[in-house]
Amino acid sequence: MIEELKNVWAEGNDEERKILELALQAIRQKRERKSAYLSGFLGLKGEFIDETKQSYRFELPLTVFMHNSGGAVHGGILATLIDSAMGSLINRSLPPEQYAVTTELKINYLRPGVGKRLRAEATFLHRGHTLVVMEGTVYDERNKRVAHGTGTFIVLNRK
């Protein structure tokens, strides 16, 4: 495998080298932040939008990893961005003995995700003790909605 990696690096095209760089970024981020590999591949770095911690945002550069064969962001990536923004918001708002996972996700794709950057934002719609309903939106660099979704999360106790 090492020889194959060296070969791709030496003889591959720019896209193939970028994928290898993203793989290393994913490993580094997993080690440093204990995040999912996918977060590292996407380059997810989030922040609360307001001081009440009721909304959360990811801003990220578009990479070749995210594109479909038509050159726009793959729909599954857009869904992942919305789900990740909502999941990050709920999980950062819970006490350490609890966590939340997605039980339902609904996405509307509004326009192709193109350009150099995307922004995903999430907010709470309803916050129960066990079930939390949230919404998320992905915007392009012109501040146009690319996709919108809602999700339901169940709050669980760590064992």
Side-chain angles (χ1 to χ4, degrees):
M1 178 161 64
I2 299 297
E3 288 305 313
E4 189 174 3
L5 288 170
K6 287 179 182 179
N7 182 291
V8 170
W9 192 258
E11 298 178 24
N13 61 35
D14 288 341
E15 283 187 359
E16 292 169 337
R17 282 190 289 279
K18 183 61 179 170
I19 293 296
L20 290 179
E21 288 174 10
L22 290 170
L24 290 173
Q25 174 179 294
I27 293 167
R28 195 169 35 253
Q29 189 167 315
K30 169 87 170 167
R31 289 177 176 178
E32 291 170 1
R33 295 194 228 164
K34 310 274 188 272
S35 63
Y37 288 114
L38 185 57
S39 294
F41 263 105
L42 296 175
L44 296 182
K45 294 180 180 118
E47 65 184 354
F48 287 103
I49 297 172
D50 57 26
E51 57 247 2
T52 64
K53 297 187 178 182
Q54 297 300 301
S55 52
Y56 197 78
R57 167 178 52 217
F58 286 126
E59 291 199 28
L60 64 154
L62 292 182
T63 66
V64 297
F65 173 75
M66 299 175 195
H67 293 150
N68 62 22
S69 60
V73 177
H74 188 282
I77 297 292
L78 294 172
T80 298
L81 290 174
I82 289 172
D83 185 47
S84 295
M86 292 187 301
S88 292
L89 175 57
I90 181 65
N91 279 296
R92 281 171 171 70
S93 72
L94 292 171
E97 66 274 6
Q98 293 183 316
Y99 67 103
V101 296
T102 311
T103 61
E104 178 270 336
L105 182 64
K106 198 258 187 234
I107 304 292
N108 289 103
Y109 300 101
L110 307 171
R111 63 175 36 90
V114 294
K116 296 184 181 188
R117 299 192 70 72
L118 290 178
R119 182 179 84 249
E121 296 182 0
T123 59
F124 292 101
L125 289 177
H126 170 77
R127 190 158 188 177
H129 292 290
T130 305
L131 292 178
V132 178
V133 180
M134 307 181 79
E135 70 176 338
T137 304
V138 175
Y139 299 92
D140 65 17
E141 59 199 14
R142 298 171 302 151
N143 208 34
K144 301 279 187 188
R145 284 180 196 240
V146 173
H148 181 266
T150 56
T152 305
F153 291 74
I154 187 167
V155 177
L156 301 168
N157 292 315
R158 295 187 194 278
K159 295 181 180 182

